[in-house]
Amino acid sequence: MSNVELAGPNAAQAAYWTENAGPTWVKLQAQLDEQLASLSAAAIAALDPKPGERLIDVGCGCGDTTLELARRVGPTGHVLGADISAPMLAVAKARAAAAGLTQASFVEADAQTYAFEPADGVFSRFGVMFFAGPVAAFANLRRALRPGGRVAFVCWRAMAENPVMTAPLAAILPLLPEPPPAPPPEAPGPFAFADGDRLQRILSDAGFTNIRIEPHDEAIGWRDLDTAVTLALNMGPVGAIARTNPDLLPRLEPAVRGALETYAGPDGVRVPSATWIVSAS
């Protein structure tokens, strides 16, 4: 039985990540893990997991970061990956079993309301920006921490600071009947924590101290242009437009390809990204 409350505060997100975004992420899991690997590493370094610790991975998705954390804590530790997407969790469980990482387990749960067992640390890679009530969610996660416990995560800064998303989007806007509406700046979504001052207030109001919100700028990407184009057309703002305008896809694809080709080099396609690396206790 699902632990996600279908009438709970994040029911809309649960439906979206189970029915729409989750299956797409599953299909492109390997390529997305490659794209985000260096950002995962930066956030894991901020958490600094130790052997024997018990950790929670919020919004664990297909399990890439959960498995890496499980390797860090070793067989005497434990990592619980929590997510609201059943399709993604199925992949995560299979990957953990294949890797023999018995210290990793998974739960389908809303981290805003789920009663977690005590942990030494909470981690997330782009999994904490979707809460309907971010203060309540972080307060719930803080309650799960043992004395001396800490949290570390990576989240996006403003979309305008991220050519990895704006470059392909700008290329297709002239092809659209009208530009897509901009979401409210504080609405749950990828850029909900773009405002570092707001994020500071959320964590402080949730009871965290020793808050550090550090800007992290790094070019991320893929080994080849075809992969870069496929991901852009299936994920993020361009992916959303492509899904709602399938008739335009033959025109969107070459526009996206042209935009991303300018970032191609000997190491593949590398496009600037802007994130926050956040830690607190």
Side-chain angles (χ1 to χ4, degrees), residues 11-271:
Q13 289 290 335
Y16 173 73
W17 284 98
T18 295
E19 299 167 8
N20 297 307
T24 300
W25 195 292
V26 165
K27 181 175 65 174
L28 299 170
Q29 167 257 312
Q31 297 93 328
L32 286 162
D33 285 344
E34 177 187 348
Q35 177 194 10
L36 301 176
S38 58
L39 302 180
S40 301
I44 289 174
L47 184 69
D48 191 20
K50 301 290 197 301
E53 288 191 317
R54 299 186 66 86
L55 306 175
I56 301 166
D57 186 2
V58 177
C60 68
C62 292
D64 187 59
T65 52
T66 309
L67 302 190
E68 180 57 29
L69 292 169
R71 295 183 186 99
R72 301 291 187 96
V73 302
T76 62
H78 182 261
V79 183
L80 177 66
D83 206 287
I84 56 177
S85 173
M88 298 175 79
L89 285 170
V91 173
K93 292 174 183 177
R95 294 176 73 187
L101 293 171
T102 57
Q103 66 268 36
S105 63
F106 299 90
V107 62
E108 185 182 349
D110 183 345
Q112 183 171 327
T113 57
Y114 185 73
F116 292 100
E117 294 184 3
D120 299 295
V122 170
F123 174 85
S124 184
R125 181 188 74 182
F126 301 118
V128 291
M129 306 94 70
F130 303 93
F131 295 121
V135 173
F138 278 107
N140 186 53
L141 293 170
R142 188 178 183 278
R143 283 191 293 271
L145 289 174
R146 293 169 172 163
R150 75 278 187 206
V151 61
F153 60 89
V154 57
C155 61
W156 297 110
R157 298 199 329 253
M159 183 173 172
E161 298 179 71
N162 277 280
V164 70
M165 298 185 191
T166 59
L169 178 62
I172 70 168
L173 286 180
L175 305 175
L176 304 180
E178 57 184 26
E186 297 183 359
F191 304 102
F193 294 161
D195 184 339
D197 291 336
R198 176 178 182 248
L199 180 53
Q200 175 88 26
R201 291 193 300 271
I202 288 170
L203 293 172
S204 180
D205 290 348
F208 283 99
T209 58
N210 301 314
I211 301 167
R212 296 187 62 183
I213 303 174
E214 302 286 346
H216 182 84
D217 297 276
E218 182 177 2
I220 61 174
W222 315 269
R223 282 171 288 182
D224 61 85
L225 181 59
D226 286 345
T227 300
V229 172
T230 296
L231 287 186
L233 289 170
N234 283 275
M235 306 298 296
V238 172
I241 291 170
R243 284 191 294 275
T244 55
N245 297 272
D247 56 312
L248 291 179
L249 193 57
R251 299 175 65 196
L252 300 183
E253 193 276 343
V256 169
R257 181 174 294 273
L260 293 176
E261 193 170 15
T262 63
Y263 296 95
D267 297 325
V269 181
R270 313 294 296 179
V271 190

